[in-house]
Amino acid sequence: MLELMGREDERRRLNQLVTGARNGRGGSLLITGEPGIGKTALLEAAASGAAGLTRVRLDGFESEMALPFAAVQRLTIPLSAHLPALSGRYREAIRVASGVAEGPTPDRFLVGLGVLGLFAAAAARAPVLCMVDDAHLLDQESLDVMAFVARRIAVEPIAVLFTARDEQGVAARMAGVPELPLEGLGQEPATALLRSSLATPIDPATAAAIVRATGGNPLALIDLAEEARGMAGLGLGAAPIPVGRRLEAHYADRVGRTDPQVREWALLAAADSTNNLGLITSAARACGLDEDVADRADAAGLIELHESVRFRHPLVRSAVYNASTSADRRRAHRALARAAGDLGMVEQEAWHSAKATLGTDARVADRLEHTADLAARRGGFASRASILSQAAELTPPGPVRDARLAGAAEAALAVGAVQIAGELLGRIDVAAADPVSRGRVQVVRCALGMFAADPAVVLPATGELVRAAGAFHGHDLERERRTLLKAFEFCCTVDRLTPGGARRDLGERIKAAAASGGGPDATILTGLGALMLRPHTEAMPLVRAAFDAILALPDHEMMHMGSAIASLGTYLWDDAGRRAGLARAAAAAREAGALQVLDTLLWVISLSELTGGTVRHAQEAMEQVREVRLAMGYDAEHVINAALMAWTGSPRATVQAIADGANAAGFGGVGASAVHALALRDLADGGYHDARERLKPLVDDPFFQVTPTQYADFVEAAVRSGHLDDARPFAGLLEEWAEATGSPWCRGVAARARALVSDDATAEAHFTASLRALAPTCARIDLARTHLVYGEWLRRVRRRREAGEQFQLAITHFDQSGAHMFVARAGTGLEAVGRTAATPVDPGPSELTPQELRIARLAALGRTNPEIATTLFISANTVDYHLRKIFQRLGVSSRRQLSDKINSLPA
């Protein structure tokens, strides 16, 4: 590595990173600090010590911050030889994002997977060191892509180094990437650097004062040495001077001493900031500047000329630009806009035109909006938000300006920039806006309130979205329908806390929108409206048609319908269809790299599996949520599902506190599911009175598809707590639902409920009917519970041997499904008939981590390494690494042996 004074610890850390990449251990590091602190010098030191590695450098440029995936496009140029190694969809995602191909809009995380694959392909030949300088100046899409890659290379021979000022929230956006804050040099190395920068000796006292004044900033010590010597003679205080401003003033002074043409050329270069020498030369020629002016700027020490233009330091660029008058800057941008137009650079032409405009200009604003549309087609929603905001600034007040601000807020929301989205909404005069803009504002505000868990917004959100849909009615049918689907999703989230009138209004509005046109959307809305408004005997065929219509949608549409799939599937008691539909939606989201959509789907899957599925599947979904959160750079430590916590042994008080907190925030669905799970835990523990007390408010205040699935639990709690008369009506209701749905799951649960309220002469027939109905379903916990209560009935009628068989079957199914909280109750019954429980099936190889177990299960299903990589958002090389460890730990040597081992485990 290059020798750097006073940076021994930092160089050691960089050396470890590079050495790790050489040895197949990937890693990343974000170096942050003020201008001139030595970030780039450390980057270059790392490069000098990376002999034998493929070195890729990527610099951030301010003018590219509004150009989506601009940095990714530049990154792929030196790695283009490896593009053929990528699967078609990754290659296409990179090409569309880079603007070199047309195609479906790619999610930024899909582009991230493509770039990860590109690095992995390059690393197959030689370890890779990627250096990203001035990461705070990358466009947001590229920054998200590079941060994603940096978080997913743990077992790849790849090192990724970033430098950045902690601006634009860059450290927060790169959460999960280790950070190295860079401070000034210590007294001794700083003094040595100062002495080496001066032409004549300096006395120790003055040197110490200069080091103190500059805070040990290396660039200040080098470039301000002579100036600081003079300042020291006047006496320096103990506080450091503002280095950035002092350096910029120093460079501005140097620029001021050059000839006018050099200053004008430097301003063109600073105003463009893409380092595009051809663009700058074209603009300079149009301004009548000499042909050799660029060489003169180079000779003045302001820039370095190669294939592109590079300022000596970003502060030189700032000094040139900020020292110019506003009129001069606008002239420079006009020249660059004309040159960009002549060169066919549409986005740069629009950006420079905007910078050259004073006041409003409808034509320039139109060009910016076109550029924003191009950004959206490439998946650049953060850039779209920024560009539309600029377009709005150039647009006179009125409907067009409001529409652009609303569009910018929607784009900001799409990438999670909630604060920016809120600020953009604040610039819209809602009272004067047209109906469509008003509706768009309401939709974004509701989403922001949900994100912030603001009960003042969450609780009335359903009604607000109904009103937004009303604003769209007659103007934008697609937006109206989309808003109503969102309103239904919000209503399910708020659950019983949604005012009854709002639920009725939503149902009526959905019904009206369904009648406004045909197509799958109309069928889906008709079914949702029937679910909300009609008796279940009338609603069932319409709900089935809606469910089937969703399953017939293309994957890219279906993956956004998780809430509707879960709701309609649960209403139909279609356990298999619901599981398959949600699994397909999740697979589609993975395939598209749509991690935010996948995150939501996995939450829905986890909750759905607790009713009509297994705890084990619910746990696996939550583990995947944590993996997705880590991939997106979020904290995964506090990902909680309160209902699942109740099932898996968390203290009741903790679960109840979470439920109370969720209800206070307006998330009634979270609260109700947690209370329901606590009631089931009461049943498992024999606390039948407590279970009845928890369940009665839920069944007395029905909520759409949710409540019927709670009837059987209430029947058991009521019967066992001595309230048989309370139980009988709900057993009858379940039988009505079983008749209407024709669902084996519902028939099995209804038969169990009927058995519990029947006399001994007829109960057994209902128990056995329940077992027959539930045996082929996904509802393994319900099957186990039937075995349990059937065993308890057999014990009571003194058929001890048969009771023991049922208890043992219950224990086996509870263990396999992960419903361990019921095992003790079944075990007590087994002991009461004089039997000892057989050793439960080992739930899985404990030596495997959760991720390794997921990889093993996928491999056992016959998935290839690339397919597993897509599912888990890692590279195929990482899958191979983990499989080697899995084979070793399980003592297998082939995928067939692995399949036998894994398939012997419970599902």
Side-chain angles (χ1 to χ4, degrees), residues 285-627:
R285 189 176 297 119
C287 291
L289 302 184
D290 296 342
E291 290 294 327
D292 68 344
V293 65
D295 293 324
R296 303 206 306 266
D298 192 352
L302 302 177
I303 60 159
E304 296 173 0
L305 283 178
H306 300 289
E307 295 86 0
S308 60
V309 178
R310 184 176 179 84
F311 278 86
R312 184 173 180 276
H313 189 274
L315 287 175
V316 179
R317 183 192 298 277
S318 299
V320 171
Y321 195 78
N322 294 333
S324 302
T325 66
S326 297
D328 287 341
R329 289 198 291 265
R330 288 195 298 275
R331 276 195 294 272
H333 283 296
R334 274 196 292 274
L336 288 162
R338 287 192 297 270
D342 292 341
L343 295 171
M345 303 167 71
V346 176
E347 291 164 313
Q348 286 86 348
E349 188 269 341
W351 188 83
H352 285 297
S353 293
K355 291 290 185 180
T357 301
L358 191 62
T360 60
D361 188 318
R363 291 175 58 226
V364 174
D366 288 344
R367 291 205 293 274
L368 278 175
E369 184 172 31
H370 174 64
T371 301
D373 292 340
L374 292 177
R377 288 206 289 270
R378 291 162 57 182
F381 291 101
S383 296
R384 175 175 172 79
S386 174
I387 297 168
L388 278 179
S389 177
Q390 292 180 56
E393 288 288 341
L394 301 178
T395 307
V400 176
R401 182 179 184 274
D402 291 339
R404 284 169 176 164
L405 286 170
E410 290 164 347
L413 179 65
V415 293
V418 292
Q419 183 175 351
I420 293 172
E423 291 169 356
L424 288 164
L425 291 185
R427 291 163 55 187
I428 299 175
D429 183 358
V430 179
D434 63 81
V436 172
S437 291
R438 283 201 305 275
R440 294 170 75 180
V441 169
Q442 285 176 293
V443 171
V444 175
R445 278 186 177 155
C446 287
L448 293 177
M450 190 68 73
F451 183 90
D454 180 358
V457 179
V458 173
L459 288 168
T462 300
E464 287 298 311
L465 289 175
V466 168
R467 282 185 281 279
F472 299 139
H473 185 68
H475 302 285
D476 190 332
L477 179 60
E478 181 182 353
R479 198 181 291 275
E480 178 187 6
R481 288 177 166 181
R482 195 164 63 239
T483 300
L484 289 170
L485 287 171
K486 180 62 69 176
F488 179 79
E489 181 181 330
F490 276 32
C491 186
C492 291
T493 299
V494 181
D495 199 89
R496 293 165 176 86
L497 300 180
T498 306
R503 287 187 242 170
R504 168 64 59 175
D505 290 347
L506 174 59
E508 295 292 350
R509 173 61 69 181
I510 285 176
K511 180 180 174 182
S516 297
D521 285 350
T523 303
I524 294 166
L525 289 172
T526 297
L528 290 174
L531 180 154
M532 301 180 75
L533 299 173
R534 295 195 183 195
H536 63 271
T537 51
E538 298 176 15
M540 208 59 67
L542 300 175
V543 172
R544 170 55 68 183
F547 189 66
D548 292 344
I550 291 176
L551 298 186
L553 291 173
D555 283 355
H556 71 276
E557 294 180 23
M558 182 191 174
M559 71 182 188
H560 296 285
M561 302 290 287
S563 183
I565 293 170
S567 298
L568 295 170
T570 301
Y571 190 89
L572 295 165
W573 291 73
D574 187 351
D575 52 309
R578 184 186 66 181
R579 178 181 281 181
L582 289 172
R584 186 184 138 209
R590 285 192 186 93
E591 188 76 11
L595 300 197
Q596 290 174 318
V597 175
L598 179 60
D599 178 87
T600 300
L601 283 165
L602 291 170
W603 273 99
V604 172
I605 289 171
S606 182
L607 285 171
S608 296
E609 282 291 331
L610 294 177
T611 306
T614 72
V615 176
R616 199 174 298 283
H617 279 119
Q619 289 175 305
E620 289 176 0
M622 287 309 298
E623 285 297 329
Q624 291 178 56
V625 169
R626 292 184 179 93
E627 198 67 36

Side-chain angles (χ1 to χ4, degrees), residues 154-177:
V155 295
E156 300 282 355
I158 301 168
V160 184
L161 266 176
F162 300 87
T163 72
R165 302 180 204 173
D166 193 10
E167 299 175 0
Q168 320 292 339
V170 66
R173 292 188 73 88
M174 297 184 66
V177 177

